[in-house]
Amino acid sequence: MAVTSSDVLLYFANIVGYSRVIALFGAYYYFHTNWVLGLGLYLYSFGMDMVDGTIARAFNQSSRFGAALDMMTDKMSTPGLFLALTYLYPSFKYFFLFTMFLDIISHYFHVTSTLLRGVKSHKIIDPSEPFLIRLFYGNKTFFTCTCLGHEIFVILLYVIYHYAGPLYTFTLGGKEYTFGLLYLPALLTLPWFISKTCVHVVQLAASARAIAEHDADAANKEAKGKTSKKM
């Protein structure tokens, strides 16, 4: 029996994808009025991102539409949380905005350069790419730790604003200090947040250069073709 476009749209994994989008908009709606519910909806969307691919493979329902839906949802997720953080931490709003735009723009440039190379996935990296990019996409452990650590750190910033966890008091140098226990996992995931931000910077620079080199080659070929015709 032939597969129709309606069948693809109703693949189990894609239905999960639709639920992720709905949950995200619900999270955005409640971020500033009911932080627990907003967080719960966000975590649902985040958690389903880890299983939708497994569902697609289990039912032999992998599709380009599903991949596009997944990528779009991913690019809606963390930026939305960054926007929430600009309200919670106004002193750092420009940092959060910069990080948000860097994430989106670097990924767009990377996907564009990938398409120009004629490969099917943006995770297929050219050997000439910078070491950090080859490590990020080529080492599954580093990729997973970086993505998860980055996401968990951002989520913890949101949570800590509302609830820092059980308080712990200690004395250092004769002074008493008190901090919430959730600061500990935040500190532990901070290096991964920094790592992924560095990946975005290097990725943007490398992709911009690759696109410019492609344009230069195209311009040279066009000029050469015009010269040949004149001769």
Side-chain angles (χ1 to χ4, degrees), residues 33 75 83 98 130 200:
T33 57
K75 290 303 146 189
L83 286 176
F98 168 78
H200 292 157

Short mmCIF file of all heavy atoms in Angstrom, two decimals, residues 33 75 83 98 130 200:
data_model
loop_
_atom_site.label_atom_id
_atom_site.label_comp_id
_atom_site.label_asym_id
_atom_site.label_seq_id
_atom_site.Cartn_x
_atom_site.Cartn_y
_atom_site.Cartn_z
N THR A 33 3.61 33.43 34.92
CA THR A 33 2.44 33.43 35.79
C THR A 33 2.36 32.18 36.67
O THR A 33 1.87 32.25 37.79
CB THR A 33 1.14 33.54 34.96
OG1 THR A 33 1.09 32.46 34.02
CG2 THR A 33 1.10 34.86 34.21
N LYS A 75 14.79 24.74 17.78
CA LYS A 75 15.19 26.14 17.66
C LYS A 75 14.16 27.09 18.25
O LYS A 75 14.40 28.29 18.35
CB LYS A 75 15.45 26.49 16.19
CG LYS A 75 16.70 25.84 15.64
CD LYS A 75 17.92 26.22 16.48
CE LYS A 75 18.94 25.13 16.58
NZ LYS A 75 19.99 25.42 17.57
N LEU A 83 14.50 34.15 26.32
CA LEU A 83 13.67 35.36 26.40
C LEU A 83 13.05 35.51 27.78
O LEU A 83 12.95 36.62 28.31
CB LEU A 83 12.58 35.30 25.33
CG LEU A 83 13.03 35.55 23.88
CD1 LEU A 83 11.85 35.37 22.93
CD2 LEU A 83 13.63 36.94 23.73
N PHE A 98 22.17 37.95 23.11
CA PHE A 98 23.31 37.63 22.25
C PHE A 98 23.45 36.13 22.09
O PHE A 98 23.64 35.61 20.98
CB PHE A 98 24.59 38.22 22.85
CG PHE A 98 25.85 37.70 22.20
CD1 PHE A 98 26.26 38.20 20.98
CD2 PHE A 98 26.62 36.72 22.83
CE1 PHE A 98 27.41 37.71 20.37
CE2 PHE A 98 27.76 36.23 22.23
CZ PHE A 98 28.16 36.73 21.00
N PRO A 130 37.00 23.14 11.54
CA PRO A 130 37.80 23.32 12.76
C PRO A 130 37.65 22.15 13.72
O PRO A 130 36.62 21.46 13.74
CB PRO A 130 37.23 24.61 13.36
CG PRO A 130 36.64 25.34 12.20
CD PRO A 130 36.10 24.28 11.29
N HIS A 200 29.13 27.44 18.94
CA HIS A 200 28.33 28.33 18.10
C HIS A 200 29.20 29.40 17.44
O HIS A 200 29.01 29.72 16.26
CB HIS A 200 27.25 29.00 18.95
CG HIS A 200 26.19 28.06 19.44
ND1 HIS A 200 25.42 28.31 20.55
CD2 HIS A 200 25.78 26.86 18.96
CE1 HIS A 200 24.58 27.30 20.73
NE2 HIS A 200 24.78 26.42 19.79
#
